[in-house]
Amino acid sequence: MKVAKPTLPKGTRDFLPEEMRKRQYIFNIIESHFKKFGFLPVETPAQENLSVLSGKYGEEGDQLMFRILNSGDFLKDISPDSLTGGYKNVLPYISEKALRYDLTVPFARMVVMHQHEINFPFKRYQIQPVWRADRPQKGRYREFYQCDADVIGSDSLLLEAELITLYYEIFSALNLKVNILLNNRKILTALSIYLGIPEQLTEFTIILDKLDKIGIAGVVEAWNAKGFPESVGEAFINLDIKSTSHLDFRNTINRFQVLFSDIPVGLEGLSELITVWELLPHFNRTLQQHVSLDFTLARGLNYYTGAILEVKSLDTEMGSIGGGGRYDNLTGLFGLPGISGMGISLGADRIYDVIEAAGKFPEYLISAVQVLLIYFDDQTLPATLKVLQELRNAGISAEIYPDQKKIGKQYEFAAKKNIPWVGLIGTSELSTQTLKVKYLPTGAEYSWDIPSFISEIKKAK
Amino acid sequence: MKVAKPTLPKGTRDFLPEEMRKRQYIFNIIESHFKKFGFLPVETPAQENLSVLSGKYGEEGDQLMFRILNSGDFLKDISPDSLTGGYKNVLPYISEKALRYDLTVPFARMVVMHQHEINFPFKRYQIQPVWRADRPQKGRYREFYQCDADVIGSDSLLLEAELITLYYEIFSALNLKVNILLNNRKILTALSIYLGIPEQLTEFTIILDKLDKIGIAGVVEAWNAKGFPESVGEAFINLDIKSTSHLDFRNTINRFQVLFSDIPVGLEGLSELITVWELLPHFNRTLQQHVSLDFTLARGLNYYTGAILEVKSLDTEMGSIGGGGRYDNLTGLFGLPGISGMGISLGADRIYDVIEAAGKFPEYLISAVQVLLIYFDDQTLPATLKVLQELRNAGISAEIYPDQKKIGKQYEFAAKKNIPWVGLIGTSELSTQTLKVKYLPTGAEYSWDIPSFISEIKKAK
């Protein structure tokens, strides 16, 4: 067989054990919190029909989807004429499926298909990769994991408070400092009314959403370029909207209650924010300190109908490491309207980068395997295998070096694999039924029987 | 937006929580054993370059791969003439990648690419989905999970014995009865020499591999159809090869040592089998009882060079639920020859079906969430949320019904979600700082304070 050059597709990655262990640490913390909060796991297939995905992510999404070529003879029954007129014309003839682009649309599809098996309100979590043919760059990959938790089938504001709590507890468990930004779609609607451009709500917020990147001057300029009256920018600047600390919550709400006194949707949004805010301390006494109002937060407006959430890392300048919100009509896309949902999403790859940059991965992750047993010789092998079996039966990750190589080489293997304990049974240990044990981090040596060895490992863990 | 019909691609599945919990149970047992045996996790991307995958799985594999259409304008720079001459001619112009077809070839690719970062002998495990455009049927899906453990960089026969042990311990932990079949490629080579058809080794074994399905008469007929001398079938039948219990191991080996006395490769195969066999009791005292010699076992011969393994379920007639073997030149495909490896694979979906058919999933899996708290009224809500927080802090999966609906409806929700404990704080419980608790499986009711509730839940778990 011809030798092939080993290569990886652009924007994709192999994960070697060291990185995998760190990723598993993140996923385990996220998943155990999802479970503790009563969320149940689901999974959907990597491939979805284009009839399900198309048009759900805007034009950009349709561009960036990875499409699957139809199986077998994909040109069978296709006339050559169908293959002209540009690739967009050809596409429907040769591809019916694409790779999952996010977890939300497949979840909505699943809920509608299985609506009679599902017990609403349905709390589900889902941790799976998604694929986007984005231009790869630092921190942006073509395959990456999303971790989503959603509750569907209830419009209770308890859920907003509970999901903010869930966010906070996950990031606390990961030892990360975060600021959770909170807004409400109804505030954005009210702002567009207040500024006299209710018909331009979408353009207004799409541009406003870029505030972080282009600053207020850039936002006003972009509004002007869209043909908004100049008064809009001025009036907006005069509103002096800032992300506020928890100490300013009341003042901000009070100020806008006056401004929105004639705008019912605005008052409704403020009232929802107050309810959520007042629930927070009942979930976690100090939680309000980590939540800020931000009336400029928009995030995919056309999708959210109530609360809008975003999580910013305070450990590094990494932008958003999570986002979510309330949506009232997601399953309506698939013919089941009127089911309100509230969800959050965590970007595992970006969280990884934040923890790495902040140097906050726990030390213990480097040692996956606890014990290496030396292959000394064939006479002592049976006794060594007996130790191996007892270590494993005690739940300790252990291995024997498979070849009878020089002992120095075997120790070197343990050091490279970050295995802390090395055990050896030589001829004299065989007669005394002990092990010669070396603890590599300190170099200390011991002579132990098996039960002592096991208990020392468990103590050190 | 137009309403889309919710559909799933042929041969793919959604996993709802009940099924997910059972799948996680299987994956957790497999993964925890992989770890205990010193294997380290890796992952590779779902998409691989066709230059890496093509030709590695035979013609059938090339047919069954899901190909990814090139991103963007996939017809740019392609002349219309290139789109003629049948789909196989068109393919290379419009597709450069395909979905992972197994875990072994991507692993070999990864080892070669990362050879300088890897500490050999490298024990890795990998649990990821693979995709095949097979005709869907009962138990066969287009997306399914493989769970592989391999050691690469050592030809020690200790590894054969260790991986047989690993198989046995995983299936024991899953409460499944299995028979592990053992053969060696060198025995098959020797058989072809003994039967006088050394040049036809491949055809000989491909047909022999079907023995289970078509019986000995069918095998002989197929050999004859391939033009083998009729004497081959006769001689083979006279060999009276049977899958043997551990009690027959010695007799079988002795008999073939005589038959192969002039065939060195056969004697070498037998000697390897003896070494592995004699190592087994040192890993697990009773292990030999679950291992059988089967000199007809072939499994993808062109790939295995030494030991060949297959696991058969004894709980149901489900065929193979795992397989593996020794390969001496897998990384040679990518330009790194001479690295011997030994690996096993488990088919999670088929294992699921076996456990389900045998009724062997543990009872406790039905209850993912331990406690539902009733949303009684807004006066008692803060006290109820305090309980919720304390339960979760104690590591108990708990939730509150998000809406203040009729209490009967909330109990019904708990029953449907298989939540065993329901806690309620009404007005009188508020004054006595207790909860009214109902244990749904028996209907028993209690009045407890929070610490008692927590300790009772932990006791019952």
Side-chain angles (χ1 to χ4, degrees):
Chain A
M1 193 178 285
K2 213 179 80 206
V3 167
K5 190 166 184 288
T7 60
L8 263 184
K10 202 163 61 164
T12 70
R13 299 164 287 171
D14 285 328
F15 296 112
L16 290 175
E18 194 192 320
E19 210 169 342
M20 276 299 291
R21 298 254 309 153
K22 293 177 176 172
R23 290 171 64 84
Q24 289 178 340
Y25 161 78
I26 295 171
F27 288 125
N28 286 343
I29 286 180
I30 292 174
E31 186 168 18
S32 64
H33 281 81
F34 285 170
K35 286 180 173 171
K36 209 161 65 177
F37 275 65
F39 290 83
L40 304 179
V42 309
E43 280 186 11
T44 61
Q47 303 181 36
E48 291 276 352
N49 287 322
L50 278 170
S51 57
V52 164
L53 297 186
S54 291
K56 304 300 188 299
Y57 306 103
E59 203 176 316
E60 197 197 8
D62 285 338
Q63 286 287 335
L64 299 185
M65 256 174 231
F66 282 108
R67 289 183 167 74
I68 311 282
L69 202 53
N70 294 342
S71 298
D73 183 353
F74 55 90
L75 294 179
K76 207 178 56 155
D77 308 328
I78 311 271
S79 81
D81 291 352
S82 310
L83 298 180
T84 58
Y87 78 101
K88 285 190 185 172
N89 276 324
V90 175
L91 254 181
Y93 292 101
I94 62 173
S95 169
E96 284 165 3
K97 288 173 293 181
L99 293 183
R100 188 167 54 220
Y101 189 81
D102 76 352
L103 303 182
T104 309
V105 170
F107 173 55
R109 186 224 8 99
M110 175 196 228
V111 166
V112 178
M113 281 179 78
H114 298 276
Q115 55 185 285
H116 302 298
E117 302 152 63
I118 289 173
N119 185 25
F120 293 99
F122 183 38
K123 296 176 92 163
R124 89 84 169 80
Y125 76 84
Q126 189 170 354
I127 299 178
Q128 288 193 282
V130 302
W131 295 271
R132 297 182 187 176
D134 243 323
R135 184 188 297 271
Q137 58 183 49
K138 191 173 166 351
R140 194 202 279 160
Y141 306 101
R142 290 185 155 194
E143 170 174 286
F144 57 97
Y145 269 77
Q146 291 191 332
C147 312
D148 283 17
D150 291 76
V151 192
I152 193 159
S154 164
D155 59 6
S156 166
L157 293 172
L158 260 187
L159 297 173
E160 273 78 345
E162 186 172 41
L163 286 170
I164 291 172
T165 312
L166 177 54
Y167 255 149
Y168 176 70
E169 298 207 348
I170 288 171
F171 287 111
S172 296
L174 289 168
N175 193 22
L176 292 180
K177 293 193 177 60
V178 295
N179 185 16
I180 301 170
L181 304 180
L182 175 60
N183 194 14
N184 192 300
R185 157 79 182 259
K186 288 165 186 160
I187 302 292
L188 293 168
T189 307
L191 280 176
S192 74
I193 296 168
Y194 176 84
L195 296 169
I197 45 162
E199 307 293 321
Q200 284 85 40
L201 173 60
T202 305
E203 295 89 335
F204 168 71
T205 48
I206 287 176
I207 292 169
L208 181 58
D209 211 22
K210 298 179 182 153
L211 186 60
D212 252 15
K213 286 182 193 140
I214 61 178
I216 184 68
V219 164
V220 171
E221 198 177 312
W223 280 338
N224 291 343
K226 274 276 171 200
F228 288 16
E230 286 200 9
S231 60
V232 169
E234 277 168 41
F236 184 82
I237 289 171
N238 285 334
L239 281 174
D240 191 27
I241 298 181
K242 286 196 283 249
S243 171
T244 63
S245 94
H246 65 288
L247 300 170
D248 304 318
F249 181 87
R250 272 289 156 202
N251 285 340
T252 306
I253 293 285
N254 292 344
R255 187 157 70 88
F256 278 85
Q257 277 176 330
V258 174
L259 291 169
F260 291 164
S261 58
D262 291 336
I263 308 174
V265 68
L267 294 176
E268 203 184 312
L270 292 168
S271 153
E272 289 187 8
L273 288 168
I274 294 168
T275 303
V276 172
W277 184 258
E278 291 180 345
L279 280 167
L280 293 181
H282 296 299
F283 280 96
N284 181 309
R285 208 169 39 81
T286 63
L287 183 51
Q288 284 179 346
Q289 297 170 28
H290 309 282
V291 180
S292 303
L293 277 186
D294 185 343
F295 288 169
T296 67
L297 183 68
R299 289 190 70 86
L301 163 96
N302 287 314
Y303 184 105
Y304 293 129
T305 51
I308 303 174
L309 292 177
E310 186 165 283
V311 183
K312 293 222 184 266
S313 160
L314 299 179
D315 287 286
T316 58
E317 294 277 325
M318 197 71 72
S320 155
I321 52 176
R326 163 75 62 184
Y327 44 85
D328 278 342
N329 199 23
L330 202 64
T331 56
L333 295 173
F334 300 106
L336 185 67
I339 298 199
S340 187
M342 167 78 205
I344 60 171
S345 184
L346 295 106
D349 295 81
R350 205 170 266 196
I351 292 170
Y352 183 103
D353 292 342
V354 171
I355 302 178
E356 190 71 289
K360 287 190 167 180
F361 278 113
E363 275 284 336
Y364 69 80
L365 289 178
I366 65 160
S367 293
V369 178
Q370 290 300 304
V371 181
L372 177 77
L373 298 177
I374 299 289
Y375 190 156
F376 187 77
D377 65 16
D378 285 340
Q379 193 207 344
T380 62
L381 182 63
T384 308
L385 291 176
K386 185 162 178 288
V387 176
L388 183 64
Q389 194 189 348
E390 295 199 20
L391 289 169
R392 287 173 178 169
N393 287 347
I396 293 165
S397 168
E399 61 182 303
I400 179 169
Y401 195 88
D403 301 284
Q404 195 188 331
K405 292 215 170 143
K406 278 193 188 144
I407 291 179
K409 201 178 151 63
Q410 298 188 45
Y411 275 99
E412 195 187 301
F413 172 84
K416 275 196 194 159
K417 199 169 172 175
N418 292 308
I419 300 177
W421 301 95
V422 180
L424 180 153
I425 299 183
T427 319
S428 63
E429 287 79 13
L430 195 61
S431 63
T432 56
Q433 302 212 13
T434 56
L435 284 117
K436 194 175 130 190
V437 173
K438 186 167 185 176
Y439 184 63
L440 297 193
T442 62
E445 294 192 341
Y446 308 94
S447 175
W448 282 328
D449 60 12
I450 302 180
S452 309
F453 188 25
I454 289 176
S455 80
E456 292 292 334
I457 295 167
K458 292 203 162 171
K459 248 190 270 170
K461 233 177 170 175
Chain B
M1 194 178 284
K2 214 179 79 206
V3 167
K5 190 165 184 288
T7 59
L8 262 184
K10 202 163 61 165
T12 70
R13 299 163 289 171
D14 285 329
F15 296 112
L16 290 175
E18 196 193 319
E19 209 168 341
M20 275 299 291
R21 298 254 308 154
K22 293 177 178 172
R23 290 170 65 83
Q24 289 179 340
Y25 160 79
I26 295 171
F27 288 125
N28 287 344
I29 286 180
I30 292 173
E31 186 168 19
S32 64
H33 281 81
F34 284 171
K35 287 180 174 172
K36 209 162 65 178
F37 275 64
F39 289 84
L40 305 179
V42 309
E43 281 186 11
T44 60
Q47 304 181 35
E48 290 276 353
N49 288 322
L50 279 170
S51 57
V52 164
L53 297 186
S54 291
K56 304 298 188 300
Y57 306 104
E59 203 176 315
E60 197 196 8
D62 284 338
Q63 286 287 335
L64 299 184
M65 258 174 227
F66 282 107
R67 289 183 166 75
I68 311 282
L69 202 51
N70 294 343
S71 298
D73 183 354
F74 56 90
L75 294 180
K76 207 178 57 156
D77 308 327
I78 312 270
S79 81
D81 290 350
S82 309
L83 299 180
T84 57
Y87 78 101
K88 285 188 185 173
N89 276 323
V90 175
L91 254 181
Y93 292 101
I94 62 173
S95 168
E96 285 165 3
K97 289 173 293 181
L99 292 182
R100 187 167 53 221
Y101 189 81
D102 76 351
L103 302 182
T104 309
V105 171
F107 172 56
R109 187 227 5 101
M110 175 195 229
V111 166
V112 178
M113 282 179 78
H114 299 275
Q115 53 185 286
H116 302 298
E117 301 153 63
I118 289 173
N119 186 24
F120 293 99
F122 183 38
K123 295 177 92 163
R124 89 83 169 79
Y125 77 84
Q126 190 171 354
I127 299 178
Q128 289 193 283
V130 301
W131 294 271
R132 297 181 187 177
D134 243 323
R135 184 187 297 270
Q137 59 184 49
K138 192 172 165 352
R140 193 203 280 160
Y141 307 101
R142 292 184 155 195
E143 169 175 286
F144 58 96
Y145 270 77
Q146 290 192 335
C147 312
D148 283 18
D150 290 76
V151 191
I152 193 158
S154 164
D155 59 7
S156 166
L157 293 172
L158 259 187
L159 297 172
E160 273 77 344
E162 187 171 41
L163 286 169
I164 291 171
T165 312
L166 177 54
Y167 254 149
Y168 176 71
E169 298 207 348
I170 288 172
F171 287 112
S172 296
L174 289 168
N175 193 22
L176 292 180
K177 293 192 176 61
V178 294
N179 185 17
I180 301 169
L181 304 180
L182 174 61
N183 195 14
N184 192 301
R185 157 79 182 257
K186 290 164 185 162
I187 302 292
L188 294 168
T189 307
L191 279 176
S192 73
I193 295 168
Y194 177 84
L195 295 169
I197 44 164
E199 308 293 322
Q200 283 86 40
L201 174 60
T202 305
E203 295 88 334
F204 168 71
T205 49
I206 287 176
I207 293 168
L208 181 59
D209 211 21
K210 297 179 182 154
L211 185 61
D212 252 15
K213 288 184 192 139
I214 60 179
I216 184 69
V219 164
V220 171
E221 198 176 313
W223 281 337
N224 291 342
K226 274 275 171 202
F228 289 16
E230 286 202 8
S231 61
V232 169
E234 276 168 42
F236 185 82
I237 290 171
N238 285 335
L239 281 173
D240 191 27
I241 298 181
K242 283 195 285 249
S243 170
T244 62
S245 94
H246 65 289
L247 301 171
D248 304 318
F249 180 87
R250 274 287 157 204
N251 286 338
T252 306
I253 293 285
N254 291 344
R255 186 158 71 88
F256 278 85
Q257 277 176 330
V258 174
L259 291 169
F260 291 164
S261 57
D262 292 335
I263 307 173
V265 67
L267 294 176
E268 201 185 314
L270 292 168
S271 154
E272 289 187 8
L273 288 168
I274 294 168
T275 303
V276 172
W277 184 258
E278 291 181 344
L279 281 166
L280 293 181
H282 297 299
F283 280 97
N284 181 308
R285 207 169 41 82
T286 63
L287 183 51
Q288 283 180 346
Q289 297 171 28
H290 309 282
V291 180
S292 304
L293 277 187
D294 186 343
F295 288 169
T296 66
L297 184 68
R299 289 190 70 86
L301 163 95
N302 287 314
Y303 184 104
Y304 294 128
T305 50
I308 304 175
L309 292 177
E310 185 164 284
V311 184
K312 294 225 183 263
S313 160
L314 299 178
D315 287 286
T316 58
E317 294 276 325
M318 197 72 73
S320 156
I321 53 176
R326 163 76 61 185
Y327 43 85
D328 278 341
N329 199 24
L330 203 62
T331 55
L333 295 172
F334 301 106
L336 185 67
I339 298 198
S340 187
M342 167 77 206
I344 60 172
S345 183
L346 295 106
D349 295 81
R350 204 170 266 197
I351 291 171
Y352 183 103
D353 291 343
V354 170
I355 301 178
E356 190 71 291
K360 286 191 167 179
F361 279 114
E363 274 284 335
Y364 69 82
L365 288 178
I366 64 162
S367 294
V369 179
Q370 289 300 304
V371 182
L372 177 77
L373 297 177
I374 298 289
Y375 190 156
F376 187 76
D377 64 17
D378 286 340
Q379 195 208 343
T380 62
L381 182 62
T384 307
L385 291 177
K386 184 163 178 289
V387 176
L388 183 63
Q389 194 188 346
E390 295 199 19
L391 289 169
R392 288 174 179 169
N393 287 347
I396 293 164
S397 167
E399 62 181 303
I400 180 168
Y401 195 88
D403 301 284
Q404 194 187 331
K405 291 217 170 142
K406 277 193 188 143
I407 290 179
K409 201 178 151 60
Q410 298 187 45
Y411 275 98
E412 195 187 302
F413 171 84
K416 273 195 194 160
K417 199 168 172 175
N418 292 308
I419 300 177
W421 301 95
V422 180
L424 181 154
I425 299 183
T427 319
S428 62
E429 285 81 13
L430 194 60
S431 63
T432 56
Q433 303 213 11
T434 57
L435 286 118
K436 194 174 130 188
V437 173
K438 187 167 184 175
Y439 184 63
L440 297 191
T442 61
E445 293 191 340
Y446 309 93
S447 176
W448 282 329
D449 59 13
I450 302 179
S452 310
F453 189 24
I454 290 175
S455 79
E456 292 291 335
I457 294 166
K458 293 202 161 173
K459 247 190 272 171
K461 233 176 170 176

